């Protein structure tokens, strides 16, 4: 029995090959559908459309499985190391000691920004959204590194990747320092990735921020759990932009913009706003859930639901545990965590959410962790972007190395007016 898919259109039958992935997922290959049938498919939101073959991340939404290059994310929990996970996603294997040492040294060496980039920050109002600054400054960064416009080989790409992964911290920290009118704090080459970022965020010229190892591990895990998620909106955006052979920086700057949306990475800010609203007593958890179930209310239970996960988002489980461990260790008592747990409890017993397979996603607990270490709410999605950057870079590079890779150009179903003549201005009503 052939594995082909058969499409019957009128009196004609068309066979299309079925492709199978590593984990047995199957796809109907319709690359020549229009050429053979004159038809295109229609799939708003691409919920049923595979855009590419990828070897980077595997998700099983029904089972709640997430693996980076085959490694279940739960196995990173014991010794979370974001830099190691970044290498794994980008280069396809866990770094050996020499690779890790060289990559880490690269990150340290290129943490600084060109001094004249600081004037760009001055041009933004203090109230500027950090995601707007981040996207703008990633593009601006490319102007100071024209050597990264054309990445001829893997070594050149490795330098560009290290430069971007390192400097995104500095850009993020400088955006924060500008927003609070504080001096920029230069990166400290003696510090590792996360402690150096927190140093640039929270040190003062006269007082060095001390990074608690508990916080270091928690933020490493937060960034690691955000590092990739296959063809999500922002990663697909990076691939779309990169498919025109736009450079790595322009592609990742576009990814920042896509991530900003409240239905995507911006949800971690929306979750905190939702929890604050309930905490201030303006609405009860029960009332909020009722509103979220009412389609006319336009209210959603932020941090809940997912296009792919129809089971618990494994990242939400892990982040929920981090929050439960971290806050008491830091002596932080955050009522928002209790409210989040209450919302989860109500929703998971409510047929509306159960029937629609709506569970907490990565954004539901992440903000509570970041808030506990002093990261302000308006920087939460920036933290998501810092975490997701290695995934964006990995997908951009995978696509650029794929033989026969084409510019992304979807089709449409035109539903506008038929042939219409132009009407001269003096004849218009
Ligand atoms: C991320 O794609 C990724 O991998 C993303 C991400 C990553 O790592 O890159 O995982 C990160 O973006 C996580 C999602 C963050 N967003 C939110 O938390 C916002 C709240 N969630 C929703 O807006 C929604 O669940 C989405 C956007 C996440 C998914 O939307 P879908 O797949 O398009 O589902 P849908 O909007 O068609 O909803 C199906 C039904 C609808 O009801 P009915 O039409 O059947 O009556 O479920 C309802 C929706 O109204 N629904 C919700 C809901 N999410 C879906 N109802 C209330 N609250 C919600 N949160």
């Amino acid at each position: 029995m052939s594995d082909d898919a058969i499409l019957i259109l009128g009196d004609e039958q068309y066979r299309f090959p079925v492709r199978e992935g590593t984990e047995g997922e199957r796809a109907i290959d319709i690359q020549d559908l229009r050429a053979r049938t004159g038809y295109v498919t229609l799939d708003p939101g691409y919920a049923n459309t595979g855009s590419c073959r990828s070897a980077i991340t595997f998700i099983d939404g029904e089972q709640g499985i997430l693996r980076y290059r085959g490694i279940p994310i739960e196995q990173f929990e014991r010794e979370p190391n974001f830099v190691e996970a970044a290498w794994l996603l980008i280069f396809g294997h866990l770094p050996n000691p020499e690779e890790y040492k060289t990559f880490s040294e690269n990150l340290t060496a290129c943490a600084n920004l060109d001094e004249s980039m600081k004037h760009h920050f001055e041009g933004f109002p203090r109230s500027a959204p950090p995601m707007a600054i981040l996207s703008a400054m990633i593009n601006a960064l490319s102007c100071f590194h024209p050597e990264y416009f054309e990445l001829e080989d893997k070594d050149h790409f490795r330098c560009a990747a290290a430069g971007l992964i390192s400097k995104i911290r500095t850009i993020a920290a400088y955006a924060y320092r500008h927003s609070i009118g504080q001096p920029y704090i230069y990166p400290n080459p003696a510090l590792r990735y996360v402690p150096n970022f927190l140093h640039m965020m929270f040190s003062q010229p006269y007082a060095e921020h001390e990074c608690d190892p508990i916080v270091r591990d928690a933020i490493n895990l937060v960034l690691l759990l955000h590092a990739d998620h296959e063809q999500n909106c922002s990663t697909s955006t990076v691939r779309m932009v990169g498919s025109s052979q736009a450079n790595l920086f322009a592609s990742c700057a576009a990814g920042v913009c896509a991530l900003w949306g409240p239905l995507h990475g911006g949800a971690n800010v929306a979750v905190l706003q939702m929890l604050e609203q309930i905490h201030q007593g303006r609405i009860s958890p029960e009332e909020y859930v009722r509103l979220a179930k009412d389609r006319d209310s336009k209210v959603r239970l932020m941090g809940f639901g997912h296009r792919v996960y129809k089971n618990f988002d494994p990242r939400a489980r892990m982040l929920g545990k981090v929050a439960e461990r971290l806050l008491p260790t830091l002596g932080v008592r955050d009522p928002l965590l209790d409210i989040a747990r209450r919302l989860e409890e109500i929703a998971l017993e409510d047929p509306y959410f159960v029937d629609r397979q709506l569970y907490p996603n990565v954004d539901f607990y992440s903000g509570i962790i970041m808030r506990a270490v002093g990261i302000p709410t308006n920087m939460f999605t920036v933290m998501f972007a810092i975490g997701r950057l290695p995934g964006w870079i990995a997908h951009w590079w995978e696509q650029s190395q794929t033989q026969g890779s084409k510019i992304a150009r979807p089709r449409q179903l035109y539903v506008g007016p038929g042939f219409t003549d132009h009407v001269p201005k003096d004849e218009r009503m």
Side-chain angles (χ1 to χ4, degrees), residues 229 232 262-265 267 292 295 300-307 315 352-353 356 358 361-363 384 388:
H229 215 238
N232 60 86
L263 293 189
H264 191 14
R295 174 193 288 272
R300 289 205 151 187
L301 190 54
M302 299 312 277
F304 251 74
H306 199 277
R307 173 62 58 77
R315 302 166 298 176
Y352 172 93
F353 293 89
R356 292 170 177 80
L358 303 175
N361 60 50
V362 67
D363 293 306
F384 195 145
R388 184 53 50 91

Short mmCIF file of all heavy atoms in Angstrom, two decimals, residues 229 232 262-265 267 292 295 300-307 315 352-353 356 358 361-363 384 388, ligand 1:
data_model
loop_
_atom_site.label_atom_id
_atom_site.label_comp_id
_atom_site.label_asym_id
_atom_site.label_seq_id
_atom_site.Cartn_x
_atom_site.Cartn_y
_atom_site.Cartn_z
N HIS A 229 12.11 26.95 20.20
CA HIS A 229 10.78 26.29 20.26
C HIS A 229 10.26 26.03 18.86
O HIS A 229 9.11 26.31 18.54
CB HIS A 229 9.80 27.14 21.07
CG HIS A 229 8.84 26.27 21.85
ND1 HIS A 229 7.48 26.35 21.69
CD2 HIS A 229 9.06 25.31 22.75
CE1 HIS A 229 6.90 25.46 22.48
NE2 HIS A 229 7.83 24.81 23.14
N ASN A 232 7.97 28.67 16.01
CA ASN A 232 7.08 29.66 16.61
C ASN A 232 7.09 30.94 15.80
O ASN A 232 7.89 31.11 14.88
CB ASN A 232 7.54 29.93 18.05
CG ASN A 232 8.95 30.45 18.07
OD1 ASN A 232 9.19 31.64 17.94
ND2 ASN A 232 9.92 29.55 18.17
N PRO A 262 1.65 40.52 22.39
CA PRO A 262 1.14 39.91 23.63
C PRO A 262 0.66 38.47 23.45
O PRO A 262 0.55 37.73 24.41
CB PRO A 262 -0.01 40.82 24.04
CG PRO A 262 -0.36 41.60 22.83
CD PRO A 262 0.90 41.70 22.01
N LEU A 263 0.41 38.06 22.21
CA LEU A 263 0.03 36.65 22.02
C LEU A 263 1.26 35.75 21.99
O LEU A 263 1.14 34.53 22.03
CB LEU A 263 -0.75 36.48 20.71
CG LEU A 263 -2.12 37.15 20.64
CD1 LEU A 263 -2.86 36.72 19.38
CD2 LEU A 263 -2.98 36.84 21.87
N HIS A 264 2.43 36.36 21.92
CA HIS A 264 3.69 35.60 21.82
C HIS A 264 4.55 35.96 23.03
O HIS A 264 4.08 35.84 24.16
CB HIS A 264 4.35 35.92 20.47
CG HIS A 264 5.51 35.05 20.08
ND1 HIS A 264 5.83 33.88 20.69
CD2 HIS A 264 6.45 35.23 19.11
CE1 HIS A 264 6.91 33.35 20.11
NE2 HIS A 264 7.31 34.15 19.15
N GLY A 265 5.73 36.44 22.84
CA GLY A 265 6.63 36.71 23.97
C GLY A 265 6.14 37.82 24.89
O GLY A 265 6.48 37.85 26.06
N ALA A 267 3.46 38.02 26.17
CA ALA A 267 2.51 37.47 27.13
C ALA A 267 3.08 37.48 28.55
O ALA A 267 2.33 37.60 29.53
CB ALA A 267 2.13 36.04 26.74
N ALA A 292 -12.39 35.51 31.03
CA ALA A 292 -11.53 34.89 30.00
C ALA A 292 -12.30 33.86 29.19
O ALA A 292 -11.96 33.58 28.04
CB ALA A 292 -10.32 34.24 30.66
N ARG A 295 -16.10 35.04 25.23
CA ARG A 295 -15.48 35.48 23.97
C ARG A 295 -15.68 36.97 23.77
O ARG A 295 -14.81 37.66 23.26
CB ARG A 295 -16.11 34.67 22.82
CG ARG A 295 -15.70 35.06 21.44
CD ARG A 295 -16.64 34.39 20.43
NE ARG A 295 -16.36 32.95 20.35
CZ ARG A 295 -15.45 32.48 19.50
NH1 ARG A 295 -14.74 33.30 18.76
NH2 ARG A 295 -15.23 31.20 19.43
N ARG A 300 -8.29 37.39 27.84
CA ARG A 300 -7.76 36.04 27.79
C ARG A 300 -6.99 35.76 29.08
O ARG A 300 -6.45 36.67 29.69
CB ARG A 300 -6.83 35.85 26.58
CG ARG A 300 -7.60 35.84 25.28
CD ARG A 300 -6.91 35.09 24.17
NE ARG A 300 -7.91 34.55 23.25
CZ ARG A 300 -7.60 33.74 22.25
NH1 ARG A 300 -6.35 33.37 22.04
NH2 ARG A 300 -8.53 33.27 21.43
N LEU A 301 -6.93 34.51 29.46
CA LEU A 301 -6.12 34.10 30.60
C LEU A 301 -4.69 34.05 30.09
O LEU A 301 -4.25 33.07 29.47
CB LEU A 301 -6.58 32.74 31.12
CG LEU A 301 -5.97 32.28 32.45
CD1 LEU A 301 -6.18 33.33 33.53
CD2 LEU A 301 -6.58 30.94 32.88
N MET A 302 -3.95 35.13 30.31
CA MET A 302 -2.63 35.25 29.71
C MET A 302 -1.68 34.24 30.33
O MET A 302 -1.77 33.92 31.51
CB MET A 302 -2.09 36.67 29.89
CG MET A 302 -2.96 37.73 29.22
SD MET A 302 -3.42 37.32 27.52
CE MET A 302 -1.96 37.86 26.66
N GLY A 303 -0.79 33.69 29.51
CA GLY A 303 0.09 32.62 29.99
C GLY A 303 -0.55 31.26 29.91
O GLY A 303 0.04 30.27 30.33
N PHE A 304 -1.79 31.23 29.36
CA PHE A 304 -2.49 29.94 29.19
C PHE A 304 -2.72 29.67 27.71
O PHE A 304 -2.94 30.61 26.93
CB PHE A 304 -3.84 30.02 29.91
CG PHE A 304 -3.90 29.18 31.17
CD1 PHE A 304 -3.23 29.61 32.31
CD2 PHE A 304 -4.60 27.99 31.22
CE1 PHE A 304 -3.26 28.85 33.48
CE2 PHE A 304 -4.65 27.22 32.39
CZ PHE A 304 -3.97 27.66 33.51
N GLY A 305 -2.71 28.42 27.34
CA GLY A 305 -3.00 28.02 25.97
C GLY A 305 -1.75 28.03 25.11
O GLY A 305 -0.77 28.70 25.43
N HIS A 306 -1.82 27.26 24.04
CA HIS A 306 -0.65 27.18 23.16
C HIS A 306 -1.09 26.55 21.84
O HIS A 306 -1.91 25.65 21.82
CB HIS A 306 0.45 26.31 23.79
CG HIS A 306 1.79 26.52 23.20
ND1 HIS A 306 2.19 25.91 22.04
CD2 HIS A 306 2.81 27.33 23.58
CE1 HIS A 306 3.41 26.30 21.74
NE2 HIS A 306 3.82 27.17 22.65
N ARG A 307 -0.49 27.05 20.74
CA ARG A 307 -0.83 26.49 19.43
C ARG A 307 -0.43 25.02 19.32
O ARG A 307 -1.12 24.24 18.69
CB ARG A 307 -0.10 27.31 18.34
CG ARG A 307 -0.21 26.78 16.94
CD ARG A 307 -1.64 26.76 16.45
NE ARG A 307 -2.29 28.05 16.46
CZ ARG A 307 -2.08 28.99 15.54
NH1 ARG A 307 -1.17 28.81 14.60
NH2 ARG A 307 -2.75 30.13 15.59
N ARG A 315 7.92 23.51 29.97
CA ARG A 315 8.69 24.64 30.49
C ARG A 315 7.93 25.31 31.65
O ARG A 315 8.53 25.77 32.61
CB ARG A 315 8.95 25.65 29.37
CG ARG A 315 9.70 25.09 28.17
CD ARG A 315 9.63 26.01 26.98
NE ARG A 315 8.26 26.21 26.53
CZ ARG A 315 7.93 27.05 25.54
NH1 ARG A 315 8.86 27.76 24.93
NH2 ARG A 315 6.66 27.17 25.17
N TYR A 352 -14.21 24.61 30.30
CA TYR A 352 -13.86 25.50 29.18
C TYR A 352 -12.39 25.30 28.82
O TYR A 352 -12.04 25.14 27.65
CB TYR A 352 -14.11 26.96 29.55
CG TYR A 352 -13.60 27.95 28.53
CD1 TYR A 352 -14.42 28.44 27.52
CD2 TYR A 352 -12.26 28.39 28.56
CE1 TYR A 352 -13.95 29.34 26.57
CE2 TYR A 352 -11.79 29.29 27.61
CZ TYR A 352 -12.62 29.75 26.62
OH TYR A 352 -12.14 30.64 25.68
N PHE A 353 -11.52 25.27 29.82
CA PHE A 353 -10.08 25.16 29.56
C PHE A 353 -9.70 23.70 29.28
O PHE A 353 -8.89 23.42 28.41
CB PHE A 353 -9.29 25.71 30.76
CG PHE A 353 -9.46 27.19 30.93
CD1 PHE A 353 -10.48 27.69 31.72
CD2 PHE A 353 -8.64 28.09 30.26
CE1 PHE A 353 -10.67 29.07 31.85
CE2 PHE A 353 -8.82 29.46 30.39
CZ PHE A 353 -9.84 29.95 31.18
N ARG A 356 -10.74 22.64 25.79
CA ARG A 356 -9.91 23.27 24.75
C ARG A 356 -8.42 22.97 24.95
O ARG A 356 -7.58 23.50 24.22
CB ARG A 356 -10.15 24.80 24.74
CG ARG A 356 -11.54 25.18 24.26
CD ARG A 356 -11.81 26.65 24.50
NE ARG A 356 -13.11 27.02 23.98
CZ ARG A 356 -14.26 26.80 24.58
NH1 ARG A 356 -14.26 26.16 25.77
NH2 ARG A 356 -15.41 27.16 24.05
N LEU A 358 -6.31 23.81 27.26
CA LEU A 358 -5.57 25.05 27.56
C LEU A 358 -4.84 24.87 28.90
O LEU A 358 -5.47 24.70 29.94
CB LEU A 358 -6.52 26.24 27.63
CG LEU A 358 -7.37 26.50 26.37
CD1 LEU A 358 -8.35 27.64 26.63
CD2 LEU A 358 -6.49 26.81 25.17
N ASN A 361 1.46 28.03 29.92
CA ASN A 361 2.59 27.95 28.98
C ASN A 361 3.81 28.63 29.59
O ASN A 361 3.79 29.05 30.76
CB ASN A 361 2.20 28.56 27.63
CG ASN A 361 1.82 30.03 27.75
OD1 ASN A 361 2.55 30.83 28.34
ND2 ASN A 361 0.67 30.39 27.21
N VAL A 362 4.85 28.76 28.80
CA VAL A 362 6.15 29.22 29.31
C VAL A 362 6.06 30.59 29.97
O VAL A 362 6.82 30.92 30.87
CB VAL A 362 7.20 29.27 28.16
CG1 VAL A 362 6.84 30.35 27.14
CG2 VAL A 362 8.60 29.45 28.70
N ASP A 363 5.05 31.37 29.58
CA ASP A 363 4.97 32.75 30.08
C ASP A 363 4.26 32.86 31.42
O ASP A 363 4.25 33.94 32.02
CB ASP A 363 4.25 33.63 29.05
CG ASP A 363 5.07 33.77 27.79
OD1 ASP A 363 6.24 34.17 27.91
OD2 ASP A 363 4.57 33.43 26.69
N PHE A 384 13.08 37.31 27.41
CA PHE A 384 12.66 36.24 26.50
C PHE A 384 13.51 36.30 25.22
O PHE A 384 14.02 35.28 24.74
CB PHE A 384 11.17 36.40 26.15
CG PHE A 384 10.51 35.20 25.51
CD1 PHE A 384 9.18 34.90 25.78
CD2 PHE A 384 11.19 34.37 24.63
CE1 PHE A 384 8.55 33.81 25.19
CE2 PHE A 384 10.56 33.28 24.02
CZ PHE A 384 9.25 33.01 24.31
N ARG A 388 15.84 33.54 23.59
CA ARG A 388 15.46 32.97 22.27
C ARG A 388 16.49 33.23 21.18
O ARG A 388 16.50 32.53 20.16
CB ARG A 388 14.10 33.56 21.87
CG ARG A 388 13.49 33.02 20.58
CD ARG A 388 13.36 31.51 20.46
NE ARG A 388 12.74 30.86 21.59
CZ ARG A 388 11.43 30.63 21.68
NH1 ARG A 388 10.62 31.04 20.75
NH2 ARG A 388 10.92 30.01 22.72
C1 LIG B 1 4.45 31.76 23.38
O1 LIG B 1 4.36 29.02 19.29
C2 LIG B 1 5.22 28.92 20.28
O2 LIG B 1 5.95 27.98 20.43
C3 LIG B 1 5.18 30.14 21.21
C4 LIG B 1 6.04 30.03 22.48
C5 LIG B 1 7.52 29.94 22.16
O3 LIG B 1 8.25 29.41 22.98
O4 LIG B 1 7.92 30.56 21.11
O5 LIG B 1 5.64 28.87 23.23
C6 LIG B 1 5.86 31.28 23.35
O6 LIG B 1 4.10 32.60 22.60
C7 LIG B 1 3.50 31.14 24.36
C8 LIG B 1 2.03 31.69 24.21
C9 LIG B 1 1.96 33.03 24.93
N1 LIG B 1 0.64 33.66 24.71
C10 LIG B 1 -0.30 33.72 25.65
O7 LIG B 1 -0.17 33.22 26.76
C11 LIG B 1 -1.55 34.52 25.26
C12 LIG B 1 -2.80 33.76 25.70
N2 LIG B 1 -2.93 32.55 24.88
C13 LIG B 1 -3.70 32.66 23.69
O8 LIG B 1 -3.90 33.89 23.12
C14 LIG B 1 -3.63 31.46 22.77
O9 LIG B 1 -3.74 30.34 23.55
C15 LIG B 1 -2.44 31.34 21.84
C16 LIG B 1 -2.21 32.56 21.05
C17 LIG B 1 -1.20 31.04 22.64
C18 LIG B 1 -2.69 30.16 20.90
O10 LIG B 1 -3.76 30.53 20.14
P1 LIG B 1 -4.37 29.55 19.01
O11 LIG B 1 -3.58 28.30 18.88
O12 LIG B 1 -4.58 30.38 17.78
O13 LIG B 1 -5.73 29.11 19.64
P2 LIG B 1 -7.07 29.89 19.44
O14 LIG B 1 -6.87 31.36 19.65
O15 LIG B 1 -7.67 29.44 18.15
O16 LIG B 1 -7.93 29.33 20.68
C19 LIG B 1 -8.69 28.13 20.56
C20 LIG B 1 -9.84 28.31 21.57
C21 LIG B 1 -10.64 29.60 21.32
O17 LIG B 1 -11.95 29.42 21.85
P3 LIG B 1 -13.15 28.88 20.88
O18 LIG B 1 -13.07 29.68 19.60
O19 LIG B 1 -12.87 27.40 20.70
O20 LIG B 1 -14.41 29.16 21.68
O21 LIG B 1 -9.29 28.46 22.88
C22 LIG B 1 -9.61 29.76 23.39
C23 LIG B 1 -9.96 30.61 22.20
O22 LIG B 1 -10.82 31.68 22.56
N3 LIG B 1 -8.41 30.25 24.08
C24 LIG B 1 -8.40 30.94 25.20
C25 LIG B 1 -7.06 31.15 25.52
N4 LIG B 1 -6.29 30.60 24.57
C26 LIG B 1 -7.13 30.04 23.67
N5 LIG B 1 -9.41 31.39 25.98
C27 LIG B 1 -9.04 32.09 27.09
N6 LIG B 1 -7.77 32.32 27.46
C28 LIG B 1 -6.75 31.87 26.70
N7 LIG B 1 -5.50 32.09 27.07
#
